[in-house]
Amino acid sequence: MINAIIDLYTKADIKTISGKLLRSSRWQQHHFTAMGSLQAQPLWLDFLAQYGVSELISKTHSKGQELETLQLILQPKKLLKPVRLSFVIKHNNTFIKSVKCVVDTLLLANNEFTGEASNNTLVIPKLPESDPIMVCDLDNQLHPTTFHATPSDICELPTQTAETLNNWWQIWQLNNLANFESVYAKNADVILAGSNDTQSKDALLNCHLALSQTLSRCYAQLETVQFDSALNQATICWTLDGTFNAKNVRVRQQILTVITITNTLISSEVMQFDTLALNQQFAL
């Protein structure tokens, strides 16, 4: 499965990955869900046509009980700088059941084509139309007695890992910003959407504060949690609901976070989201 995804981007091998998808298989990308290979192929072809076949710069692969995570840094032939794609995959060793693919579209938009001086301004027009969603009115301020799931509620975790991830989740679900000091190692490495450069944990705090100024009535909700005990690495798919203040519209951002824990503290975190897909979905 992993090689089939890599070969899709590095060899333009559409045939192999198509053979791994059933008609009921879901490939989710740019806030759009493709059912089966016939609907997924336009996503793959658009990427290859716009950016070219890629060279694999690096990959990171982790496995949980039901899910696998693949992080790729690719150097597309037509672009000057690398781009990052992250995948959460569910399969039965023969066929893919579902894939959540997060493309860092900010890296694409801030990139430059080889031989051209202009930035890539065609990202949003090339994105598929996002899935219609029903944004619920759930708000932890209005529903204080509602049960709010934590990572350990939906994934079997070692005791110390569960405590670390639950405390990390409090940062986003409960705005417990003091936990930035207690759950991260001092020299923790952070990579955020829009950049391949490693930053300090202060970048995460600034990201949280920036979101809090852009979105009001925020509510963070878990989707899936995967844990690789060999790597001591967790992958969390989650959403952040909020009212976009500039237009007073309720939005939902899909986020994928990969956390590595060393000696009970977070030593590395990659936080990815598709900003331009959100902008297109809600006309921001």
Side-chain angles (χ1 to χ4, degrees):
M1 303 300 172
I2 301 304
N3 290 336
I5 292 176
I6 294 174
D7 289 347
L8 166 64
Y9 295 96
T10 60
K11 298 179 181 179
D13 185 357
I14 290 178
K15 180 181 178 181
T16 300
I17 189 66
S18 295
K20 301 291 185 183
L21 297 180
L22 301 171
R23 292 181 64 182
S24 59
S25 300
R26 293 180 295 110
W27 185 290
Q28 189 179 50
Q29 183 174 327
H30 303 309
H31 296 193
F32 166 77
T33 302
M35 299 301 295
S37 62
L38 289 180
Q39 289 190 6
Q41 282 185 19
L43 298 174
W44 308 333
L45 290 169
D46 283 348
F47 188 94
L48 293 170
Q50 196 168 354
Y51 308 114
V53 176
S54 300
E55 175 188 354
L56 178 63
I57 303 299
S58 70
K59 69 173 182 178
T60 305
H61 177 218
S62 65
K63 298 180 66 174
Q65 292 183 346
E66 296 183 352
L67 302 171
E68 296 187 36
T69 299
L70 177 65
Q71 299 177 77
L72 300 179
I73 297 180
L74 303 173
Q75 178 57 68
K77 184 177 182 179
K78 296 183 181 181
L79 297 180
L80 290 178
K81 300 176 183 178
V83 297
R84 179 181 292 271
L85 285 75
S86 300
F87 305 83
V88 177
I89 310 147
K90 185 175 184 179
H91 63 85
N92 62 2
N93 294 318
T94 302
F95 295 106
I96 290 174
K97 296 181 178 180
S98 67
V99 172
K100 179 185 284 290
C101 172
V102 178
V103 181
D104 192 338
T105 47
L106 280 183
L107 279 176
L108 292 176
N110 294 331
N111 222 311
E112 293 183 352
F113 286 97
T114 55
E116 299 181 20
S118 61
N119 288 345
N120 179 13
T121 58
L122 301 176
V123 177
I124 287 184
K126 289 287 187 178
L127 297 179
E129 184 176 350
S130 302
D131 296 335
I133 63 169
M134 296 295 292
V135 181
C136 67
D137 294 326
L138 180 61
D139 188 312
N140 57 342
Q141 296 175 8
L142 301 179
H143 302 269
T145 61
T146 300
F147 172 74
H148 306 292
T150 64
S152 62
D153 291 322
I154 63 175
C155 181
E156 186 175 344
L157 299 166
T159 303
Q160 291 184 326
T161 300
E163 182 178 356
T164 299
L165 289 179
N166 287 345
N167 287 335
W168 165 82
W169 186 236
Q170 287 184 8
I171 293 173
W172 297 99
Q173 192 177 65
L174 302 178
N175 290 323
N176 192 350
L177 302 186
N179 281 3
F180 273 115
E181 291 300 321
S182 60
V183 302
Y184 287 89
K186 289 184 178 181
N187 59 345
D189 294 331
V190 171
I191 295 177
L192 295 175
S195 174
N196 275 319
D197 297 331
T198 300
Q199 304 179 68
S200 71
K201 63 181 180 181
D202 292 339
L204 273 171
L205 173 60
N206 293 335
C207 176
H208 189 293
L209 293 173
L211 286 171
S212 71
Q213 296 304 299
T214 304
L215 302 175
S216 59
R217 291 180 59 230
C218 287
Y219 180 70
Q221 182 167 277
L222 292 170
E223 289 186 345
T224 62
V225 178
Q226 168 213 324
F227 181 67
D228 187 324
S229 57
L231 299 177
N232 214 22
Q233 188 175 86
T235 300
I236 303 99
C237 294
W238 55 290
T239 60
L240 185 66
D241 291 359
T243 300
F244 187 72
N245 295 328
K247 292 196 171 184
N248 194 33
V249 59
R250 194 76 172 163
V251 302
R252 172 175 293 163
Q253 177 64 285
Q254 301 175 11
I255 302 174
L256 191 155
T257 300
V258 182
I259 290 173
T260 303
I261 299 173
T262 305
N263 297 327
T264 74
L265 295 176
I266 297 174
S267 57
S268 166
E269 179 169 338
V270 179
M271 182 179 176
Q272 295 293 287
F273 42 86
D274 192 334
T275 304
L276 299 190
L278 180 79
N279 291 349
Q280 182 214 53
Q281 185 174 19
F282 297 100
L284 303 181

